[in-house]
Amino acid sequence: MVINVDVEFLARDAARAARRGDLVIVIDVLRCSSTIVTALANGAKAIIPVKTLKEARRERLNKPDYILAGERGGLKPRGFDLGNSPLEYTSERISGKVIVLTTTSGTRALIYSRGARWILVGSLLNAEAVARAAYSIARSEDIGVTIVQSGTNGRFSLEDFICAGAIVSKLPEGNIKLSDSAQASLLAFRYAKNNLRAILMESAHSRRLIDLGFSRDIEFSCQMDYFRVVPIYDGNVIVRGDFRAGLEGT
Ligand code: MLT
């Protein structure tokens, strides 16, 4: 059996991948998916992604112990507990907590993915773990895999493209068939992999984050395979997936 592997470039294209019946891996290296992976690795109980600030505030109304988190324009919205920096999500702050998260592109891509049978969250931080989990699910269910880049404000983003290639590079060779976009992302990753940090620092979104004082977030998010956690989204909440196939540890 051959597994088709595709890469979509924008958040809204997640809906097309869901219609194809593919397993979807949502990525937003800077910074939403890196933040989700870090939060779950550091003990968050669950993450509820929502589209708007209003929805986020409403979600917390009767749940004062929920953590309100996210960004607009890269910055923590007024009245929120946490921004969108993975470095804020320490176990002291978030262990055992439910986090309501709204970001400009990443949470949108997740919401557009609803309807897919399987939605995983990927980043450079968990590239190998998410690739292995996706491969084993796709193989057992005989479905394709689409990596959905969230992009930046509706535009293609370099860091997500390279991350897509990193995930493709971790899929077992042989019985997978790459689309042109998946093949291109793999070529980009192979070119960038020995100089990941410097190349990612040059992306448009990185430059914006550096201007806002978040360069440490970029450095953190570039660490490949730092965590083994695989977040899984059921259309309502994101929790740690329990994929046993060699995925022990955080
Ligand atoms: C987003 O979802 O648009 C990003 O994560 C933005 C950011 O860097 O905070």
Side-chain angles (χ1 to χ4, degrees):
M1 178 218 310
V2 171
I3 297 172
N4 290 311
V5 178
D6 212 339
V7 173
E8 296 282 3
F9 295 144
L10 296 173
R12 64 170 179 266
D13 298 332
R16 184 166 51 216
R19 280 197 299 275
R20 275 199 296 272
D22 284 359
L23 175 151
V24 169
I25 304 174
V26 173
I27 57 174
D28 183 17
V29 175
L30 300 175
R31 295 165 289 172
C32 179
S33 67
S34 300
T35 293
I36 291 170
V37 169
T38 304
L40 290 176
N42 286 342
K45 188 170 168 191
I47 295 164
I48 304 175
V50 297
K51 220 176 195 170
T52 65
L53 298 177
K54 205 168 156 188
E55 279 174 82
R57 293 192 173 107
R58 201 188 312 128
E59 194 71 50
R60 213 238 317 244
L61 259 188
N62 299 316
K63 306 266 179 21
D65 51 329
Y66 279 17
I67 292 185
L68 211 46
E71 59 73 36
R72 284 298 179 273
L75 300 173
K76 181 169 83 170
R78 187 175 44 83
F80 274 41
D81 306 304
L82 294 176
N84 191 29
S85 164
L87 296 171
E88 291 177 81
Y89 292 68
T90 57
S91 41
E92 293 73 28
R93 276 171 147 165
I94 52 96
S95 184
K97 303 278 189 189
V98 175
I99 299 166
V100 181
L101 182 69
T102 178
T103 71
T104 312
S105 311
T107 51
R108 276 179 186 269
L110 284 160
I111 288 159
Y112 280 122
S113 304
R114 283 175 181 165
R117 236 187 312 166
W118 291 90
I119 307 164
L120 307 182
V121 180
S123 65
L124 287 165
L125 295 169
N126 70 338
E128 180 167 15
V130 79
R132 283 203 207 183
Y135 179 81
S136 85
I137 296 166
R139 209 169 61 155
S140 70
E141 302 220 350
D142 195 12
I143 55 178
V145 171
T146 295
I147 302 168
V148 175
Q149 306 182 191
S150 299
T152 306
N153 294 320
R155 302 196 62 186
F156 175 89
S157 85
L158 177 67
E159 64 276 4
D160 286 350
F161 189 53
I162 289 173
C163 177
I167 294 170
V168 171
S169 80
K170 301 287 184 176
L171 293 167
E173 281 174 26
N175 48 354
I176 56 169
K177 188 162 145 219
L178 303 182
S179 68
D180 282 4
S181 55
Q183 186 73 42
S185 72
L186 180 61
L187 294 173
F189 170 68
R190 284 187 182 143
Y191 176 82
K193 72 176 180 187
N194 294 326
N195 208 6
L196 214 45
R197 189 172 300 194
I199 289 177
L200 262 58
M201 283 281 182
E202 289 300 318
S203 81
H205 191 49
S206 286
R207 291 198 301 267
R208 165 104 180 109
L209 289 174
I210 291 166
D211 285 349
L212 292 171
F214 292 123
S215 57
R216 286 183 56 227
D217 287 359
I218 308 164
E219 284 170 27
F220 179 80
S221 303
C222 284
Q223 300 175 98
M224 237 179 112
D225 300 326
Y226 191 69
F227 295 124
R228 308 295 305 166
V229 64
V230 180
I232 179 163
Y233 178 43
D234 68 0
N236 292 305
V237 292
I238 305 170
V239 295
R240 271 180 87 130
D242 186 17
F243 302 104
R244 292 258 166 252
L247 299 174
E248 297 79 18
T250 56

